[in-house]
């Protein structure tokens, strides 16, 4: 698991560390994976790729350094490194599907999108073992973004929306995307045992998604009790410490 780092670094210090890691020490970016467990499928082999950075011998979660990367326009470089690394792993693990998180800023970069499509086509079967998760955001309503994501879905194992329900409650854009699944925001999962409003919302969401033939995955599932409630509600799969802690590849 990612550890807290000793001391607090400034944005400028993180910028210098990221520049150095991207340009000269890419091995400092660590790839971890966490399994996704389906309720009614014995084996799917789906894992989510989680990015870490080795800093002073500690594994630092992406949430610590990615804000600086976003502020300084570095996320597309990091996304390239991650995709390239996971493609290498996919060749050695043909039974796994790797869900890779892509930053929306990378997908707004036409050069990045073309690079991604080209490398997936060149990778052939290995490219078909990667699928891509994108945070729910207003940009998903853009016709250009929808076209890029649908092209990406055709060259890979698929596209999915994560942190679903975190802010955008106009779901009409789902009709225009070729999605494999949606992953519901942890906001609706934590404390679900005692929250009837969230349970009602999730039942409605599940009905809508299943009508669109989309799987629905819950994230941040930490206990058997929560897992049972989510199965009863109709979720297709779960992810979190209950299914397994992230492990380095």
């Amino acid at each position: 698991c990612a550890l807290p780092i000793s001391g607090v670094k400034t944005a400028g210090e993180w910028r210098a560390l990221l520049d150095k890691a991207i340009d000269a020490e890419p091995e400092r970016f660590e790839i971890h994976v966490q399994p996704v467990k389906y309720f009614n499928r014995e084996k799917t082999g789906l894992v989510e790729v989680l990015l870490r950075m080795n800093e002073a011998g500690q594994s630092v979660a992406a949430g610590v350094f990615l804000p600086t990367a976003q502020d300084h326009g570095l996320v597309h470089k990091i996304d390239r490194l991650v995709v390239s690394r996971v493609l290498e792993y996919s060749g050695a693990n043909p039974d796994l599907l790797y869900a890779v998180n892509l930053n929306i800023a990378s997908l707004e970069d036409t050069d990045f999108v073309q690079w991604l499509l080209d490398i997936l086509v060149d990778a052939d079967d290995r490219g078909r073992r990667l699928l891509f998760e994108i945070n729910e955001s207003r940009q998903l309503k853009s016709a250009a973004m929808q076209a890029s994501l649908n092209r990406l879905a055709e060259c890979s194992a698929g596209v999915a929306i994560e942190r679903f329900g975190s802010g955008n409650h106009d779901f009409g854009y789902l009709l225009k995307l070729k999605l494999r699944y949606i992953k519901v925001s942890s906001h609706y999962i934590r404390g679900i045992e005692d929250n009837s409003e969230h349970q009602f919302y999730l039942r409605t969401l599940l009905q809508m998604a299943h009508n669109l033939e989309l799987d629905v995955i819950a994230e941040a599932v930490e206990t058997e009790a929560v897992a049972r409630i989510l199965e009863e509600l109709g979720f297709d799969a779960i992810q979190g410490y209950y299914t397994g802690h992230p492990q380095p590849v």
Side-chain angles (χ1 to χ4, degrees), residues 23-42:
D23 296 334
E25 300 174 347
E27 67 279 0
R28 291 183 62 184
F29 291 108
E30 303 173 344
I31 304 297
H32 292 226
V33 295
Q34 185 176 42
V36 174
K37 178 183 177 182
Y38 274 77
F39 289 117
N40 297 318
R41 300 177 204 172
E42 191 167 328

Side-chain angles (χ1 to χ4, degrees), residues 49 65 204:
V49 172
F65 58 84
T204 304

Side-chain angles (χ1 to χ4, degrees), residues 66-106:
L66 276 186
T68 298
Q70 292 167 345
D71 290 343
H72 294 279
L74 300 175
V75 288
H76 69 285
K77 294 183 178 181
I78 295 174
D79 281 350
R80 285 191 184 218
L81 286 170
V82 172
V83 170
S84 299
R85 188 91 59 84
V86 175
L87 277 173
E88 294 177 11
Y89 298 146
S90 69
N93 297 280
D95 294 331
L96 294 181
L97 285 177
Y98 294 88
V100 178
N101 296 281
L102 291 180
N103 193 283
I104 197 72
S106 296

